Amino acid sequence: MAVDITQELEKIENNPNGSVVKDAIYDALLKLANAEGGGSGTTVGDAWFVLDGIKNATVGRASFSEIVID
Amino acid sequence: MAITRAQVANISELAAWMQANAVPSIFKSVIYANSILTATDADDNVVLSIKGAQNGSDYLRAYRAENNYLEIAFAEFPNHSNTIEVIGCDNGFIIDCIVYYTSNYYSRQFCALFTKTNNEKVAIIFPSTLSATASSSYTTTLRHVAFGDSATIATTTTFTPEAGQQTSLTAWKTNPDPGAVSYTPKAFYLDMHSGYSSGIGKFVLNGEEYITNGYWAISCSTV
């Protein structure tokens, strides 16, 4: 399963109380993508984090406060 | 690009995985005989050897030239009761060893990256030691080899993040000498990694797909 987090967040960004809902969904989607993307044991999951524009994400063991590429 | 993940119990199984998944993308050949794994590059140079008989004198050697290699003993390399995981794609792979003391308490004993440089040399990068607290100092000492790179460079490189609290994807320089710089265009060191959880992750950044174990990120896009 592919999870495009940025796309999901855009859907609710301008709704009333959007920031609260956005944070909750954001966290849930990150956890989902992390679990399913990493797989377990000898498997590789299907889900991908889409990190463009996202801050404070954890992918596998990596904690990103912000992502830049040198 | 296919991503492959496995857990291996010994060097023989590691050799079998490398033969299936890292030849010819990283190595030209991987041979396991007499308890020794030997890998060669496209020019038939021996670039890696691992002796894994678990008899106390075992080693991993990463060659920068014939008879010139970096070595770690099995005091640092996993040899028993550990989880040894390999994961990678055609652009590189990671050997990751984690010792689980309990389900919630563990430390990483070993984490090595195998990839290619911009000059198509085999690059091998591994730590002198890594622990779950390695990230707290924001400085990590690693040893690295790319066969044919200058033998005069230090065997250790102390890496310090460049930009405050940001995690960056940093191409590793296997030879930083001006005019002869070689680096790892498809594999990146995560300078603000977290060492406190296990697992792997996959992420997309600017349209490119990466896998990460938290220390390394390898691009698995074909471009």
Side-chain angles (χ1 to χ4, degrees):
Chain A
M1 181 182 69
V3 179
D4 187 333
I5 295 169
T6 303
Q7 188 177 61
E8 294 300 317
L9 294 178
E10 285 176 352
K11 294 178 182 176
I12 60 168
E13 194 162 8
N14 296 318
N15 287 354
N17 299 318
S19 62
V20 175
V21 177
K22 181 180 177 181
D23 287 346
I25 294 178
Y26 171 90
D27 289 342
L29 290 173
L30 282 177
K31 290 175 183 176
L32 180 64
N34 197 27
E36 298 213 355
S40 62
T42 59
T43 67
V44 179
D46 294 329
W48 293 87
F49 283 105
V50 178
L51 293 177
D52 293 343
I54 290 181
K55 299 180 180 180
N56 302 317
T58 298
V59 182
R61 298 185 186 89
S63 295
F64 297 93
S65 54
E66 187 172 346
I67 296 181
V68 296
I69 294 181
D70 292 352
Chain B
M1 187 177 292
I3 298 168
T4 306
R5 181 185 191 186
Q7 291 179 343
V8 298
N10 50 50
I11 306 305
S12 175
E13 289 188 15
L14 174 63
W17 185 89
M18 288 169 60
Q19 288 164 350
N21 297 286
V23 177
S25 56
I26 305 297
F27 304 109
K28 182 176 181 178
S29 71
V30 175
I31 297 170
Y32 182 73
N34 301 319
S35 299
I36 299 177
L37 180 158
T38 303
T40 61
D41 69 6
D43 298 318
D44 295 320
N45 301 303
V46 173
V47 294
L48 171 71
S49 62
I50 305 176
K51 183 172 183 289
Q54 302 184 10
N55 61 8
S57 59
D58 303 331
Y59 56 77
L60 181 153
R61 291 173 180 167
Y63 291 78
R64 61 160 48 97
E66 189 177 5
N67 299 320
N68 184 351
Y69 52 80
L70 299 179
E71 179 177 299
I72 60 171
F74 267 11
E76 301 169 6
F77 194 76
N79 59 357
H80 62 85
S81 301
N82 301 337
T83 296
I84 306 172
E85 182 171 295
V86 285
I87 183 166
C89 59
D90 284 352
N91 288 335
F93 67 95
I94 299 163
I95 299 177
D96 210 351
C97 174
I98 301 170
V99 177
Y100 287 87
Y101 301 106
T102 69
S103 60
N104 295 316
Y105 177 54
Y106 41 78
S107 68
R108 173 180 279 110
Q109 297 295 298
F110 185 83
C111 175
L113 171 75
F114 301 79
T115 185
K116 282 191 170 180
T117 70
N118 56 314
N119 299 319
E120 289 294 309
K121 298 171 183 172
V122 176
I124 303 170
I125 306 165
F126 53 93
S128 54
T129 58
L130 270 182
S131 71
T133 59
S135 63
S136 62
S137 67
Y138 304 155
T139 300
T140 302
T141 299
L142 301 173
R143 292 180 285 187
H144 53 90
V145 165
F147 195 94
D149 267 0
S150 168
T152 61
I153 61 174
T155 57
T156 58
T157 295
T158 299
F159 184 83
T160 302
E162 297 178 1
Q165 299 299 307
Q166 292 181 332
T167 290
S168 61
L169 298 179
T170 304
W172 191 265
K173 292 180 180 177
T174 59
N175 180 6
D177 293 348
V181 173
S182 54
Y183 61 97
T184 57
K186 294 295 185 180
F188 304 88
Y189 180 68
L190 300 174
D191 54 6
M192 290 289 289
H193 55 72
S194 169
Y196 292 94
S197 62
S198 61
I200 62 163
K202 304 192 303 180
F203 64 91
V204 178
L205 184 63
N206 296 327
E208 194 158 351
E209 297 176 342
Y210 299 85
I211 56 173
T212 181
N213 72 336
Y215 283 89
W216 302 104
I218 300 173
S219 167
C220 290
S221 292
T222 55
V223 179

